[in-house]
Amino acid sequence: MAKVQIVTDSAAKLTQAEIDQYQIKVVPLTVQIDGTIYQDGVTISAEEFLEKMQESDQLPQTSQPSIGAFKEVYDQCYQEDPDAAVLSLHLSSGLSGTVNAAAQANALTKADVHAFDTLSADRSEAFVVLAAAKAAQAGQSLEEVLKVAETARDQTYIFLSFRSLDNMVAGGRLSKTQGLIGNLLNIKVGAKVDEEGKVDVVVKGRGLKTIKAFNESVIEQMKGYKQMKAIGVTYTGIKDEAEAMVQRLNAIWPDIDILLSVATPIISTHTGMGALAILYEAE
């Protein structure tokens, strides 16, 4: 057995093949839409979440897993290998209390649990989880796996653009007046997840040319790195544009297998429909 077992949450955009290959345990977040609670990735998919979000008059609510849910997974890890440490890597504390719940669950289990804040989400969170999982599978110690995770965290980035301010208003990030004026003026937004793991608006402008210019600036920044390790593109409702972005990025980095996917609920809830995220790991 590995010296370190890997646990994460459903906000990490992992493929089932990756979960199986690296034996990653995933604790689902919960999402509530119109009074019904779902387990993210278990009883509702990212695609189904988007459909229900469009049909709902209220902004969906995403919630961290319960401490009990974490304890159950940690107990399972202990039963499988009492001597292995558990590295539990989670969604940014700037977006959710998930990593804090994981840390609290440590006191309730016999497993040796170490909670880790990826300061990221979606495919970028997955980049950190995968780096740690590969090191763990190679038999590295907890200290070594932690160093790998810290390096990956420092090298992952999320840039996202979105077309409607409705969800930002509903989520309290903008006032109703700001949102109304922004929508009337056709304001589009470019944002990033900052060093503290919070969504930070970096550009606002009128029309789709703002988004195009923002994405071009992201690509130019990407070109400046010594090595591009991994890229992901996630979207909400604009699949054709997302596919075009993947083609554009693959023309520049043909050796990278870019995962194209619908954004996780934590991202979708912030951005609403019409969002595009470029996520990458680079040094």
Side-chain angles (χ1 to χ4, degrees):
M1 295 291 288
K3 296 178 182 177
V4 181
Q5 296 193 57
I6 300 297
V7 175
T8 190
D9 55 69
S10 61
K13 179 63 74 170
L14 293 160
T15 67
Q16 190 59 50
E18 291 167 341
I19 292 169
D20 294 341
Q21 181 178 356
Y22 298 106
Q23 299 180 331
I24 301 167
K25 291 181 172 62
V26 180
V27 184
L29 278 73
T30 59
V31 295
Q32 181 173 328
I33 306 176
D34 294 332
T36 302
I37 297 175
Y38 303 90
Q39 285 188 303
D40 178 27
V42 179
T43 57
I44 191 170
S45 67
E47 293 80 2
E48 291 169 335
F49 176 84
L50 277 186
E51 291 177 7
K52 292 183 181 296
M53 184 174 73
Q54 284 182 280
E55 295 168 357
S56 177
D57 293 329
Q58 296 180 331
L59 186 70
Q61 294 180 324
T62 57
S63 301
Q64 66 210 39
S66 68
I67 294 174
F70 278 116
K71 179 184 182 302
E72 183 177 342
V73 172
Y74 297 154
D75 287 348
Q76 181 185 346
C77 290
Y78 183 80
Q79 291 171 4
E80 292 176 0
D81 188 352
D83 297 323
V86 177
L87 182 56
S88 205
L89 306 103
H90 295 293
L91 170 66
S92 170
S93 57
L95 299 173
S96 168
T98 298
V99 71
N100 293 327
Q104 291 177 53
N106 179 38
L108 304 176
T109 179
K110 292 181 179 179
D112 178 22
V113 179
H114 300 262
F116 184 90
D117 188 350
T118 67
L119 297 175
S120 199
D122 208 275
R123 188 59 177 169
S124 281
E125 180 184 351
F127 293 153
V128 181
V129 174
L130 288 169
K134 291 173 183 177
Q137 195 171 82
Q140 295 188 31
S141 68
L142 173 64
E143 291 74 17
E144 291 169 329
V145 176
L146 273 169
K147 288 181 180 178
V148 168
E150 288 167 356
T151 298
R153 178 174 63 186
D154 291 342
Q155 295 178 347
T156 55
Y157 303 87
I158 302 177
F159 291 90
L160 58 156
S161 56
F162 42 103
R163 307 176 181 212
S164 170
L165 305 182
D166 292 343
N167 280 39
M168 292 190 76
V169 171
R173 292 180 176 271
L174 290 175
S175 69
K176 290 184 178 180
T177 300
Q178 287 174 316
L180 176 61
I181 293 173
N183 285 335
L184 287 174
L185 295 177
N186 195 24
I187 296 296
K188 310 303 178 187
V189 174
K192 67 176 181 179
V193 174
D194 64 19
E195 292 79 4
E196 296 180 352
K198 299 177 181 178
V199 177
D200 180 27
V201 174
V202 295
V203 63
K204 290 187 287 186
R206 297 182 65 177
L208 293 179
K209 64 180 183 298
T210 298
I211 290 177
K212 183 177 180 180
F214 174 74
N215 287 334
E216 287 299 320
S217 71
V218 172
I219 293 171
E220 287 304 310
Q221 177 176 314
M222 293 170 71
K223 290 178 180 178
Y225 289 93
K226 180 175 66 175
Q227 179 187 6
M228 186 60 56
K229 293 183 174 182
I231 303 173
V233 173
T234 64
Y235 66 94
T236 59
I238 49 171
K239 185 177 182 180
D240 290 347
E241 292 184 29
E243 289 176 341
M245 179 57 72
V246 169
Q247 293 176 1
R248 172 81 193 284
L249 295 171
N250 259 151
I252 304 169
W253 294 280
D255 297 331
I256 293 181
D257 184 14
I258 300 175
L259 179 68
L260 173 67
S261 55
V262 173
T264 55
I266 190 72
I267 294 294
S268 301
T269 300
H270 277 87
T271 65
M273 298 299 290
L276 177 72
I278 301 173
L279 315 94
Y280 63 91
E281 179 183 3
E283 64 173 320

